[in-house]
Amino acid sequence: MHIPDGILPVPVTLGGYAITIGAVWFCLHKIKQKDDPREDIPRASLLTAVFFVASLIHFPVPPMSVHLMLSGLLGALLGFFAIPAILIGLFFQAVMFGHGGLTTLGVNTVIIGFPALVAHFIFRLRNLGQTGPGKTGLYGFAAGASAIGLSVVLFAVILLFTFPADLSRSMEQSAILILMAAHIPMIIIEGLITATAAVFLLRVSPRLLQGI
Amino acid sequence: MSGSESIQGSSVLHRLDPRIKLVSLMILAFSYSFVSTPLLLGVMGVATFLLWTASGLSASFILEKLKFPSLIIMALVLTLPFISGETILIDLGVISLKQEGLLSSIIVGTRFLCIITTALIILNSSHLLAYIKAMRAMGLPWIMADMALLVFRYLKVIKDDYTQMKTSMKLRGFDRHKLSFNNLRITAWLCGGLLVRGFERSDWIYRSMRLRGYGSQNSRDHDFRVKGSDGLAFGISIVIAAMLVFSELALRR
């Protein structure tokens, strides 16, 4: 779900950077309000590195294979660190593997980062009332699936409504529907993996689930 | 990005200040993405070729990095000539090749190739750490810079953990080519295991960083020095970018 360089018009890519800079500024402002913001940096960085490595895991979804994103789990665990973490991860992916792009770094951060932050707030609802494995799994699924679902919607909207080629209205609608339908298996897979990983963490290291 | 051929080179490009290279790269990338006139696409291609010549990098190195072009780009370049536009160039019965779609396909494909090649050449002419330090020197917030440095430092460690765990899973009969609930569960446990390891490791990393004085010195200090060649390279980038943008605006009229 990375938009590469060369597709989007300059105002859109610049707009993506403007929104990302604003979002990163807001997140850093929130992080700096903590007693010792430096204490959380190694933790957020190592978890970011784990998510980066986890994105190398591929799943066969015939006729192709998809890689994990885990942006919902990342949002649930990292909270306000999620958007800076995603920006760093996308920069490394663009530089190391040529995935995504440099001009589209801002837009791609919006596509993946904002849904991750939404997932953080969805997962935090788990703390209302008593928490157990069932509830953790349920909110984990909601966080994981909604993060990918929202990313797909943002991706489709940005790509199709700012695309510089002439496409008819019916063609645009069909493309959006096909794109969404193609991602349904991925939404379910991400939801299930996030739910199972959240329950695993609840049993093995519940401190991690309290977020950073 | 850390290909040994790239970083050990001795071309003019390798000796430039990483800050100048980063800023020039972004200026060039944005000006390239503004171009949509066929004539200027050619100019962009020539500029990219000249940059490659100046870098001293081998063609095989660049081609190796370009081996896996984006799926989206591939899909767009292959489908646009048939789905976009109205002027039919070749009627193939069920589908027809259209002029507007073909032009869009060429524009998108050329822009992508020029931007990614320019980025590959420039980013592979210094170590990634030098670029992170350059960004910090240019005002990147310390939280972002520290996170980027730590992520880069521990990527290999965590990748090794992952490889080790994957090998153990394989030895126990895990077949990753099969899509099943059991496989999803095992993969989730693998991710969970990596997260727990990373989380526990981060505690002692923070303590050792503190012992070494983390947070007590200004991380914006740097030893970058702008030389005459840096100014010249920056000037050339600005001229190319400005020429492309103004020519594009003039040609659109």
Side-chain angles (χ1 to χ4, degrees):
Chain A
M1 235 175 296
H2 303 78
I3 299 182
D5 287 314
I7 297 180
L8 299 178
V10 174
V12 178
T13 50
L14 287 176
Y17 265 101
I19 296 171
T20 296
I21 289 170
V24 169
W25 177 84
F26 175 75
C27 290
L28 295 183
H29 174 71
K30 284 280 184 189
I31 292 165
K32 282 178 188 166
Q33 282 177 341
K34 296 185 173 198
D35 292 340
D36 183 8
R38 285 185 199 274
E39 190 181 354
D40 293 330
I41 289 173
R43 201 170 292 163
S45 309
L46 263 81
L47 295 183
T48 305
V50 170
F51 285 108
F52 189 91
V53 170
S55 72
L56 302 175
I57 300 174
H58 281 74
F59 261 104
V61 179
M64 52 198 291
S65 82
V66 293
H67 72 86
L68 288 181
M69 276 175 62
L70 297 182
S71 50
L73 189 59
L74 183 144
L77 300 187
L78 294 191
F80 286 106
F81 273 101
I83 290 184
I86 284 168
L87 178 59
I88 290 167
L90 288 174
F91 173 72
F92 282 157
Q93 281 191 341
V95 169
M96 290 173 168
F97 310 126
H99 290 172
L102 287 177
T103 58
T104 51
L105 193 59
V107 171
N108 287 330
T109 306
V110 171
I111 290 174
I112 302 172
F114 280 79
L117 209 53
V118 171
H120 164 67
F121 291 114
I122 290 175
F123 195 71
R124 260 178 48 173
L125 294 175
R126 181 187 74 101
N127 298 329
L128 299 173
Q130 284 218 322
T131 53
K135 198 175 172 189
T136 301
L138 190 70
Y139 281 98
F141 183 86
S146 63
I148 303 298
L150 280 173
S151 289
V152 173
V153 172
L154 284 173
F155 175 78
V157 168
I158 291 174
L159 194 60
L160 290 162
F161 288 103
T162 62
F163 190 63
D166 297 325
L167 293 177
S168 65
R169 179 64 60 193
S170 63
M171 180 72 80
E172 278 181 356
Q173 283 170 353
S174 317
I176 289 177
L177 286 175
I178 292 170
L179 201 64
M180 303 261 196
H183 280 90
I184 289 174
M186 200 178 154
I187 292 171
I188 297 169
I189 288 174
E190 288 270 348
L192 288 172
I193 289 191
T194 306
T196 316
V199 174
F200 173 87
L201 294 176
L202 181 75
R203 288 184 174 135
V204 178
S205 177
R207 222 180 104 207
L208 238 168
L209 283 186
Q210 286 159 14
I212 292 180
Chain B
M1 144 81 213
S2 311
S4 52
E5 174 190 353
S6 52
I7 293 152
Q8 286 164 7
S10 58
S11 70
V12 181
L13 203 61
H14 285 81
R15 291 193 296 271
L16 293 177
D17 186 324
R19 293 173 302 170
I20 297 291
K21 286 195 274 191
L22 266 181
V23 176
S24 302
L25 169 62
M26 292 313 285
I27 290 171
L28 285 175
F30 274 103
S31 67
Y32 286 1
S33 64
F34 187 68
V35 170
S36 57
T37 312
L39 173 72
L40 296 177
L41 291 177
V43 174
M44 224 163 72
V46 171
T48 309
F49 177 78
L50 291 176
L51 181 72
W52 168 66
T53 317
S55 74
L57 294 171
S58 67
S60 58
F61 176 79
I62 299 293
L63 290 173
E64 174 67 27
K65 294 271 182 181
L66 287 173
K67 208 163 63 180
F68 303 106
S70 159
L71 271 178
I72 301 171
I73 285 288
M74 290 287 280
L76 284 176
V77 168
L78 293 176
T79 56
L80 273 180
F82 302 101
I83 62 167
S84 169
E86 288 170 354
T87 316
I88 295 173
L89 289 176
I90 303 170
D91 195 354
L92 301 166
V94 189
I95 53 167
S96 49
L97 186 71
K98 291 162 187 157
Q99 188 184 328
E100 295 84 353
L102 184 63
L103 187 63
S104 297
S105 169
I106 292 170
I107 292 169
V108 166
T110 312
R111 275 189 202 157
F112 170 76
L113 266 181
C114 288
I115 296 173
I116 195 169
T117 310
T118 305
L120 278 174
I121 293 168
I122 294 179
L123 293 172
N124 279 285
S125 61
S126 289
H127 201 281
L128 185 55
L129 285 177
Y131 285 117
I132 297 172
K133 283 177 188 163
M135 284 191 273
R136 177 71 189 121
M138 288 190 290
L140 182 75
W142 62 266
I143 294 179
M144 296 289 291
D146 288 357
M147 276 182 74
L149 289 168
L150 279 166
V151 171
F152 184 71
R153 163 70 181 82
Y154 284 97
L155 262 183
K156 171 116 184 34
V157 177
I158 288 165
K159 176 88 194 305
D160 288 346
D161 279 353
Y162 166 61
T163 310
Q164 201 178 18
M165 288 164 87
K166 207 170 69 172
T167 310
S168 316
M169 282 161 64
K170 216 184 269 181
L171 288 171
R172 287 178 197 142
F174 178 72
D175 177 14
R176 69 183 183 91
H177 300 292
K178 207 170 66 182
L179 181 65
S180 65
F181 280 112
N182 193 40
N183 271 10
L184 289 180
R185 197 176 52 177
I186 293 169
T187 306
W189 289 344
L190 166 73
C191 297
L194 284 171
L195 285 167
V196 172
R197 282 186 187 206
F199 188 72
E200 285 170 356
R201 190 176 274 138
S202 69
D203 279 342
W204 59 257
I205 288 171
Y206 177 68
R207 284 197 290 273
S208 20
M209 281 166 68
R210 271 297 199 196
L211 282 172
R212 286 178 200 144
Y214 175 60
S216 60
Q217 59 196 131
N218 184 5
S219 58
R220 272 183 87 167
D221 293 344
H222 61 83
D223 50 5
F224 297 120
R225 293 283 174 271
V226 177
K227 302 182 293 290
S229 54
D230 296 316
L232 183 67
F234 186 62
I236 292 171
S237 313
I238 296 279
V239 168
I240 294 172
M243 190 200 72
L244 286 172
V245 171
F246 289 119
S247 307
E248 176 69 28
L249 289 171
L251 288 169
R252 277 187 199 174
R253 281 187 207 139

